[in-house]
Amino acid sequence: MQINPEDNQARLEHFQKALKKSGVKMTVQRMEVFRELAGTGSHPDAETLFKGVRQKIPMISLDTVYRTLWLFIDLGLVSAVGQSKERARFDANTLQHHHFVCRQCGRMQDFYSDSLNRLALPDSIEQIGTVEKTQVEVLGLCADCLSKTDNP
Amino acid sequence: MQINPEDNQARLEHFQKALKKSGVKMTVQRMEVFRELAGTGSHPDAETLFKGVRQKIPMISLDTVYRTLWLFIDLGLVSAVGQSKERARFDANTLQHHHFVCRQCGRMQDFYSDSLNRLALPDSIEQIGTVEKTQVEVLGLCADCLSKTDNP
DNA sequence: GTCAATGCAAACTCTTTGCAATCTG
DNA sequence: CAGATTGCAAAGAGTTTGCATTGAC
């Protein structure tokens, strides 16, 4: 999915305001990392972004791209796909199931639902590809973390 | 989610048959890695499994755990959670959206659906935790990979 | 001018690989 | 017994960190 130029422009402005609001300095590097990421609908990894940004800022370093991305995530401008920061996790449950993931402790719990097993997907999916498996991922706070943070 | 012992027993038998069928040797290590993984409903990483298995086989090495896991994945006995083998990927799209992930090339495409945005989750979710975000992940083959493999 | 942000290089973590010793079928 | 499998140690990816220099406000 390519993002159209106007949306992109609007995003850049929103981006600049967000930085100012958080008292974070605007730099060429941050600008370009954001522009690069906002201009693509694919979900690039840091290295890919790095290569793209280097076209405009040849002296940028990879660690700056990483720092910039985590900063953006803190600011809520960007999200990391899936449990990206984590390691590989394995599952011996071969039944169709769905995942609840705690955003605090990262714990993952399976849950089952017949209706979620046969979700109706939008027709537009057909243009993207053939569907083999559909899984719902629910993000939230697990009961454990809730009781640890909420209770006085 | 803990798995009950009977299911677990059935799984172990299925596991042994699957190994034999694929002409893969049965070893204590494989047995224990599988038992450990099948006996937990959490989705442990390799290190966690390693620690568990070491209780029974103190001399097992971490690389064996990895090799064993990827073998099981090849055999279809186990799955890796998410895009586990991949690196962190980032997303500047802050609108609620869902992901189509190509299992071949790993490309990820956003798609939108109002109905998927407000999925009805099973009541059992409440016991697990509070829901903050629900996202659908569709796995399949993207159009690109389809045309590369299917067309003669 | 001050302090945050950057680039560099080195460290760190997770995962994989080469090879000789070991064990399964 | 032959060949697959293991353990070890070392290498490889991807990511993070410490520190001096640079640059934004």
Side-chain angles (χ1 to χ4, degrees):
Chain A
M1 186 189 84
Q2 270 300 329
I3 278 123
N4 81 53
E6 269 144 54
D7 286 2
N8 208 349
Q9 186 57 38
R11 284 195 196 187
L12 266 175
E13 277 162 28
H14 172 243
F15 162 71
Q16 306 208 25
K17 278 180 199 155
L19 286 202
K20 188 162 282 182
K21 195 173 149 194
S22 317
V24 166
K25 287 183 184 167
M26 171 60 125
T27 65
V28 198
Q29 288 83 345
R30 289 177 178 170
M31 177 106 194
E32 282 307 325
V33 169
F34 186 81
R35 196 211 295 280
E36 185 75 22
L37 185 53
T40 178
S42 69
H43 298 70
D45 56 32
E47 188 89 29
T48 305
L49 281 168
F50 174 54
K51 284 180 189 150
V53 174
R54 218 170 21 176
Q55 313 260 327
K56 297 203 179 167
I57 316 176
M59 73 293 294
I60 198 174
S61 65
L62 180 57
D63 56 84
T64 296
V65 174
Y66 275 110
R67 280 187 285 224
T68 303
L69 287 168
W70 298 127
L71 169 72
F72 290 172
I73 289 176
D74 279 351
L75 300 181
L77 293 165
V78 161
S79 59
V81 169
Q83 274 46 58
S84 299
K85 280 199 78 169
E86 300 185 9
R87 341 159 145 168
R89 297 174 72 168
F90 305 90
D91 190 348
N93 185 354
T94 46
L95 300 172
Q96 185 171 7
H97 63 278
H98 308 279
H99 288 146
F100 179 98
V101 185
C102 177
R103 77 164 149 74
Q104 188 149 310
C105 67
R107 217 171 303 170
M108 202 171 231
Q109 304 194 47
D110 296 348
F111 67 92
Y112 301 85
S113 158
D114 279 347
S115 57
L116 294 185
N117 288 354
R118 0 183 184 75
L119 280 185
L121 299 173
D123 294 341
S124 56
I125 283 282
E126 284 169 28
Q127 287 149 28
I128 305 181
T130 52
V131 174
E132 293 175 352
K133 188 180 158 193
T134 299
Q135 196 168 29
V136 176
E137 189 165 297
V138 175
L139 270 123
L141 278 177
C142 74
D144 262 24
C145 288
L146 271 176
S147 66
K148 276 172 200 156
T149 40
D150 282 11
N151 291 356
Chain B
M1 187 190 86
Q2 271 299 332
I3 278 123
N4 82 52
E6 269 144 55
D7 286 0
N8 207 349
Q9 186 58 38
R11 284 195 197 187
L12 266 175
E13 277 162 29
H14 172 243
F15 162 71
Q16 306 208 24
K17 277 180 202 157
L19 286 202
K20 188 162 284 184
K21 195 173 148 192
S22 318
V24 167
K25 286 180 183 169
M26 171 61 126
T27 66
V28 197
Q29 289 84 344
R30 289 177 179 169
M31 178 104 194
E32 282 308 325
V33 169
F34 186 81
R35 195 210 295 279
E36 185 75 22
L37 184 55
T40 180
S42 69
H43 298 71
D45 56 33
E47 190 88 29
T48 305
L49 281 168
F50 175 54
K51 283 180 189 147
V53 173
R54 219 170 19 176
Q55 314 260 327
K56 297 205 179 166
I57 317 176
M59 71 294 294
I60 197 174
S61 64
L62 180 56
D63 56 83
T64 297
V65 174
Y66 276 109
R67 278 187 287 222
T68 304
L69 287 168
W70 298 126
L71 170 71
F72 289 172
I73 289 175
D74 279 350
L75 301 181
L77 293 165
V78 161
S79 60
V81 169
Q83 274 46 58
S84 300
K85 280 200 77 170
E86 300 184 9
R87 343 161 143 163
R89 296 174 74 168
F90 304 91
D91 191 349
N93 185 354
T94 46
L95 300 172
Q96 187 173 7
H97 63 277
H98 307 278
H99 287 146
F100 179 98
V101 184
C102 178
R103 76 163 150 75
Q104 187 149 313
C105 67
R107 217 171 302 171
M108 202 171 231
Q109 303 194 46
D110 296 348
F111 67 92
Y112 301 86
S113 158
D114 279 346
S115 57
L116 294 185
N117 288 354
R118 358 183 184 75
L119 280 185
L121 299 173
D123 295 341
S124 56
I125 283 282
E126 283 169 29
Q127 288 150 28
I128 305 183
T130 53
V131 173
E132 294 175 352
K133 189 181 157 193
T134 298
Q135 196 168 31
V136 175
E137 188 164 297
V138 175
L139 270 122
L141 278 177
C142 75
D144 262 24
C145 288
L146 271 176
S147 66
K148 277 173 199 154
T149 41
D150 281 12
N151 290 357

